Amino acid sequence: MIGKLRTVAIDCPDPRALAGFYAELLGLPLVEADSDGNEWVVLGGPLGQQPRLAFQQATDLIPPAWPDPARPQQVHLDVTVDDIEVAEKAALALGARRLPGEGEGFRVYADPVGHPFCLCWD
């Protein structure tokens, strides 16, 4: 092993707003001490504790267009849930939207900025 995963950073136009979406979706707290105003917002725990997500301002972001290969997903998160119907309803209420595509044990969604993520179950 060369190192440990520190943070997954996601580009978006409004880091604080997208961090709020993922804070509710994943139950991760805001780490204000590691955030930098509205340009870099961190969720999770102190450095060395996982998971950690950061949201970085990218004012000219061109969001992915799942499943269009001309605008690929770039990065996505798989989120394990106990009850897909309950989880889907909650994610949609937070501002997610359902995307085409699902398989055995997963459904595809977009966050409020357009980044795909999957809700997964066993």
Side-chain angles (χ1 to χ4, degrees):
M1 175 177 71
I2 293 174
K4 296 179 181 179
L5 178 66
R6 177 180 175 132
T7 304
V8 174
I10 299 174
D11 287 353
C12 58
D14 184 345
R16 201 154 290 274
L18 193 58
F21 170 83
Y22 279 105
E24 289 293 323
L25 183 72
L26 302 172
L28 294 174
L30 174 67
V31 184
E32 196 66 59
D34 293 341
S35 299
D36 185 12
N38 291 324
E39 294 179 7
W40 177 262
V41 179
V42 177
L43 298 179
L47 283 175
Q49 292 185 1
Q50 301 303 326
R52 269 175 75 97
L53 287 176
F55 303 87
Q56 176 174 270
Q57 189 171 43
T59 54
D60 296 328
L61 177 77
I62 299 172
W66 174 272
D68 181 356
R71 288 180 36 207
Q73 62 182 321
Q74 303 161 9
V75 66
H76 83 270
L77 302 177
D78 287 343
V79 179
T80 301
V81 299
D82 292 326
D83 182 323
I84 184 57
E85 301 306 330
V86 171
E88 177 176 271
K89 184 177 179 182
L92 295 174
L94 288 174
R97 61 187 163 84
R98 182 85 185 267
L99 295 176
E102 65 180 271
E104 188 173 324
F106 74 93
R107 291 183 189 165
V108 183
Y109 303 83
D111 67 24
V113 176
H115 301 103
F117 69 93
C118 295
L119 295 180
C120 307
W121 66 95
D122 295 328

